[in-house]
């Protein structure tokens, strides 16, 4: 599996390099080292507002993904439903991505982004009573709705990122795409890695009794409450915390673009 995945990644990177070789490069008047690039990047406030929002959303999704096996095992009484929950989350994305692209062109990327995050938080909160009642059908249906919104949370911030970087190049005179995308990738990776740890802390605080999924043990009521809240309310709270950062991004980006390139789609 490692060899196959390595070959696929290598082929994808080679294809990307060959497909973009015609894109002109317009570096600044002098090259910047990593430390200098990061110091200059600190002035790009819209980027960091967008990055903070995306990191909070990635953490919320990571907590949900970490909690899915526990919900399937201890609330729905069937560990096999974990796969079904993942399918319900990922499957709708294939259909939702082009629909979000169409909506973003018509209504703007930031308004659609805000709508997706708000609805995703509401759906996560709505999962709480569904999980508590043990209704498999309701949990799977709402998980599908999570997948529809999650497609926008993945698509739209990555659509806004290049415009933010491009506007910064107009402000500073330096092309710092590598520094910004490096920070973005590091924040996303860190949030995704932190999610299981956050859920583990919730389980520990709720007195969860460790056991193998194939041979689950009876859990106290506090552990069941922690599993449910960790899968639903905690991600919903993290998503809501990202909304002020998105609103700040919209305000800061408008001012930032006065010294860079205009972006009519993010208004």
């Amino acid at each position: 599996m490692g060899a196959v995945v390595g070959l696929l990644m290598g082929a994808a990177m080679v294809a990307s390099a060959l497909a973009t070789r015609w894109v002109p490069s317009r570096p600044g008047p002098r090259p910047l080292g990593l430390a200098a690039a990061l110091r200059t990047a600190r002035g790009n406030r819209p980027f960091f507002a967008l990055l903070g929002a995306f990191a909070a959303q990635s953490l919320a999704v990571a907590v949900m993904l970490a909690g899915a096996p526990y919900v399937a095992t201890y609330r729905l009484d069937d560990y096999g439903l974990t796969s079904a929950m993942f399918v319900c989350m990922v499957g709708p994305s294939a259909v939702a991505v082009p629909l979000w692209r169409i909506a973003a062109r018509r209504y703007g990327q930031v308004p659609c982004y805000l709508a997706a995050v708000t609805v995703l938080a509401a759906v996560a909160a709505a999962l709480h009573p569904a999980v508590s009642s043990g209704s498999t059908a309701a949990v799977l249906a709402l998980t599908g709705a999570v997948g529809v919104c999650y497609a926008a949370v993945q698509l739209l911030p990555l659509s806004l990122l290049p415009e933010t970087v491009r506007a910064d190049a107009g402000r500073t005179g330096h092309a710092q795409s590598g520094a910004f995308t490096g920070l973005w990738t590091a924040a996303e990776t860190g949030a995704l890695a932190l999610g299981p740890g956050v859920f583990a802390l919730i389980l520990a605080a709720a007195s969860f009794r460790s056991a193998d999924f194939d041979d689950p043990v009876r859990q106290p009521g506090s552990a069941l409450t922690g599993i449910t809240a960790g899968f639903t309310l905690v991600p919903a709270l993290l998503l809501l915390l990202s909304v002020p950062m998105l609103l700040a991004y919209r305000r800061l980006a408008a001012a930032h673009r006065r010294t860079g390139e205009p972006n009519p789609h993010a208004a």
Side-chain angles (χ1 to χ4, degrees), residues 225-238:
T225 299
I227 290 171
T228 305
F231 181 71
T232 61
L233 299 182
V234 172
L237 178 60
L238 289 170

Side-chain angles (χ1 to χ4, degrees), residues 198-218:
V198 171
F199 194 82
L201 290 176
I202 295 171
L203 293 181
S207 302
F208 177 81
R209 296 173 181 172
S210 180
D212 190 273
F213 286 125
D214 294 327
D215 189 21
V217 300
R218 184 176 181 83

Side-chain angles (χ1 to χ4, degrees), residues 5-262:
V5 171
L7 289 172
L8 290 174
M9 291 179 64
M13 288 187 284
V14 170
S16 298
L18 294 177
T20 57
R21 66 186 186 278
W22 54 269
V23 177
S25 176
R26 290 186 293 271
R30 59 186 177 85
L32 294 179
L34 178 59
L38 293 178
R39 283 196 301 270
T40 307
R42 286 184 302 181
N44 192 338
R45 296 176 64 193
F47 168 79
F48 285 101
L50 183 64
L51 177 63
F54 182 71
Q57 294 151 16
S58 297
L59 178 59
V61 172
V63 172
M64 291 191 76
L65 292 176
Y70 294 88
V71 169
T73 302
Y74 294 102
R75 301 301 302 194
L76 304 180
D77 299 321
D78 185 358
Y79 174 68
L81 287 173
T82 304
S83 300
M85 293 172 69
F86 278 108
V87 170
C88 288
M89 181 178 290
V90 175
S93 299
V95 178
V97 166
L99 297 179
W100 281 114
R101 287 180 62 87
I102 294 172
R105 290 194 190 100
R106 181 170 182 178
Y107 301 107
Q109 295 185 66
V110 173
C112 287
Y113 191 7
L114 284 166
V117 173
T118 304
V119 174
L120 182 54
V123 173
L127 273 166
H128 187 274
V131 171
S132 299
S133 66
S135 174
T136 300
V139 170
L140 293 180
L142 289 170
T143 303
V146 168
V148 172
C149 297
Y150 180 60
V153 172
Q154 286 291 298
L155 171 69
L156 297 178
L158 291 176
S159 299
L160 294 169
L161 175 61
E163 300 296 340
T164 303
V165 175
R166 191 175 300 122
D168 188 79
R171 179 182 67 90
T172 64
H174 293 282
Q176 301 179 91
S177 301
F180 287 113
T181 54
L183 287 171
W184 186 276
T185 302
E188 180 183 19
T189 303
L192 293 176
L194 185 61
V198 171
F199 194 82
L201 290 176
I202 295 171
L203 293 181
S207 302
F208 177 81
R209 296 173 181 172
S210 180
D212 190 273
F213 286 125
D214 294 327
D215 189 21
V217 300
R218 184 176 181 83
Q219 298 291 340
S222 60
L224 298 178
T225 299
I227 290 171
T228 305
F231 181 71
T232 61
L233 299 182
V234 172
L237 178 60
L238 289 170
L239 290 165
L240 290 177
L241 289 176
S242 74
V243 172
M245 287 183 277
L246 281 179
L247 294 174
Y249 164 79
R250 181 169 61 179
R251 184 183 69 256
L252 293 168
H256 194 73
R257 285 193 302 273
R258 295 191 188 105
T259 57
E261 294 185 6

